Amino acid sequence: GDSVTQMEGPVTLSEEAFLTINCTYTATGYPSLFWYVQYPGEGLQLLLKATKADDKGSNKGFEATYRKETTSFHLEKGSVQVSDSAVYFCALSERSGSARQLTFGSGTQLTVLP
Amino acid sequence: DTEVTQTPKHLVMGMTNKKSLKCEQHMGHRAMYWYKQKAKKPPELMFVYSYEKLSINESVPSRFSPECPNSSLLNLHLHALQPEDSALYLCASSQSGTPLFFFGPGTRLTVL
């Protein structure tokens, strides 16, 4: 079945540092890929998405490129802020029967220190 | 309206109580989902409804009973829960043919 492997956390960075969170996937077809963010005590927010190979998703300074050849969708940000502290989930979506399903990675806790 | 709403935000219940969680969306989405999320873990799929019919039940115990009364509303009926069922319960919806999922803010459930 489909699966998502995500970089283990926790990750602790200083403000303005460069962030990379690795994500690789296994899928039978052509999935869409997502990064979700969850701030403490809140639900899931879609951070960015890519629906086909070589697409680049971007939002709030975060970027990720859909790399089919390496089955990867790594999240990057050039300069993190304290407010970026959250748990980040990589996910893929494929059609399964009559409805799509989301498969999540294990999540990476990011803490940014001032 | 691009929002999924969930009520209540917080729920505390005893093991003998019966309660219900409610989820609503008015985006015309025909697929709706219940997920369970423990702290610092990814959401786990519980149920999928497609066109108001239950299409996936991920071997969830019968003390959780989903219901989809119409295309905008999804309920999760709870009965005789265990303390280990304490978690954040997330509802999501998606439109057929598109990969985008919209999540609600969740109901934080505590079972005493």
Side-chain angles (χ1 to χ4, degrees), chain A residues 17-82:
Chain A
F18 184 84
L19 169 71
T20 300
I21 301 178
N22 289 339
C23 171
T24 57
Y25 68 89
T26 303
T28 51
Y30 301 94
S32 295
L33 301 174
F34 306 87
W35 278 99
Y36 283 87
V37 59
Q38 189 169 33
Y39 298 101
E42 297 188 10
L44 286 176
Q45 295 180 28
L46 178 64
L47 182 59
L48 52 84
K49 66 176 174 61
T51 57
K52 61 183 188 298
D54 300 324
D55 267 2
K56 178 188 275 191
S58 61
N59 186 22
K60 299 181 184 178
F62 290 90
E63 291 184 340
T65 301
Y66 189 147
R67 302 278 188 210
K68 194 165 185 298
E69 63 277 13
T70 53
T71 61
S72 64
F73 192 56
H74 305 320
L75 182 68
E76 296 183 336
K77 187 175 185 183
S79 176
V80 292
Q81 306 299 312
V82 172

Side-chain angles (χ1 to χ4, degrees), chain B residues 14-34:
Chain B
M15 290 191 283
T16 57
N17 293 156
K18 282 186 182 181
K19 297 285 185 184
S20 296
L21 310 184
K22 180 179 168 182
C23 171
E24 204 159 2
Q25 55 88 15
H26 297 286
M27 295 177 277
H29 293 172
R30 303 312 297 270
M32 295 185 76
Y33 307 76
W34 280 116

